Amino acid sequence: MNTEPAPNENEEAIGEVEPVLIPTADHQPASEPELRSGDERGFQSLPIEALRLDRFVGGIFIAIVVVVCLIGMVFPLFVAEATLEVLGWAAAGCLLLLGAVVYGGWFYPQAAHQCASWRINEHGLEIRRGVWWRHRIVIPHSRMQHSDIEQGPLQRMYSLATLVIHTAGTKDSSIQLENLNFETAEQLRDALTSGRGEMSVASERSVTA
């Protein structure tokens, strides 16, 4: 008599068990979206006229400092007590001052222009600026009260304008976006006033991440 138990029909062989796939960092399920640390799409840079205006103002300061340095280097020659050491220190001080002004008036504006950008979306206006200390300002539509356009005499020479956004609250109650094209400033003001999340910008160029 066969005393062996009958095989269980629900029991599966070990060799036929299907392996379970465990998702890792390199393999994510297709249903889960990829998370990004930051969205860099849609940022617009300032027009090239903004850089030209900053360098024009910087050139004026450079010219003034050059004249002051020349006076500072020539003046000790007319002083009887002036020595070579005094002339050397005067020349070194003038060269150091001139170098700092040349950097601040000519090279720094280019770095600031490359770091400045803005974008508008359904959430509001976002501004990025700063060379050594970076600032990222986000202004939601719900915080905006009204906006103005300002244009100084030098900005009129380059068809630029400053958009001033007044927000609710006591701290930083107004935010300025300087040296936009005048047409772009008007379009951006209208888009923010109407609450639109997009606008047509033909004068500025997009910033690639």
Side-chain angles (χ1 to χ4, degrees):
M1 178 180 296
N2 187 6
T3 59
E4 295 182 0
N8 190 352
E9 295 180 356
N10 296 328
E11 184 179 357
E12 297 180 357
I14 297 178
E16 298 178 357
V17 176
E18 183 179 358
V20 179
L21 180 61
I22 301 177
T24 60
D26 298 331
H27 183 87
Q28 295 290 343
S31 59
E32 296 184 4
E34 181 182 359
L35 299 178
R36 297 185 179 181
S37 59
D39 188 4
E40 301 295 328
R41 296 172 298 177
F43 278 98
Q44 303 289 331
S45 63
L46 297 179
I48 191 62
E49 289 79 9
L51 175 59
R52 294 171 180 170
L53 173 59
D54 291 339
R55 283 185 166 176
F56 175 76
V57 176
I60 295 176
F61 281 102
I62 292 174
I64 294 175
V65 172
V66 168
V67 174
V68 173
C69 288
L70 291 176
I71 295 175
M73 294 178 64
V74 173
F75 180 76
L77 298 177
F78 298 93
V79 180
E81 294 81 5
T83 61
L84 292 178
E85 184 178 0
V86 173
L87 294 175
W89 281 108
C94 290
L95 291 177
L96 183 61
L97 177 61
L98 183 60
V101 173
V102 169
Y103 170 78
W106 189 261
F107 295 101
Y108 182 83
Q110 182 176 2
H113 181 267
Q114 294 176 351
C115 294
S117 59
W118 61 272
R119 71 175 174 182
I120 180 176
N121 52 29
E122 66 276 8
H123 303 293
L125 178 64
E126 186 173 353
I127 304 173
R128 299 188 306 184
R129 58 192 176 196
V131 178
W132 301 108
W133 287 270
R134 301 293 178 89
H135 300 276
R136 194 163 190 167
I137 305 171
V138 180
I139 311 174
H141 287 293
S142 59
R143 290 282 308 277
M144 300 178 189
Q145 293 183 336
H146 64 279
S147 58
D148 301 325
I149 295 179
E150 298 179 353
Q151 193 178 37
L154 293 180
Q155 287 180 322
R156 287 196 295 269
M157 293 174 53
Y158 292 88
S159 299
L160 299 175
T162 297
L163 179 66
V164 183
I165 304 169
H166 300 273
T167 60
T170 57
K171 182 180 180 181
D172 297 332
S173 58
S174 64
I175 304 296
Q176 293 186 354
L177 183 55
E178 300 178 347
N179 293 336
L180 292 170
N181 280 332
F182 185 79
E183 295 80 4
T184 303
E186 289 184 327
Q187 295 176 12
L188 183 56
R189 179 195 59 187
D190 296 339
L192 294 175
T193 303
S194 60
R196 298 197 306 267
E198 57 182 8
M199 57 176 287
S200 175
V201 180
S203 53
E204 273 77 0
R205 50 189 175 87
S206 299
V207 176
T208 56

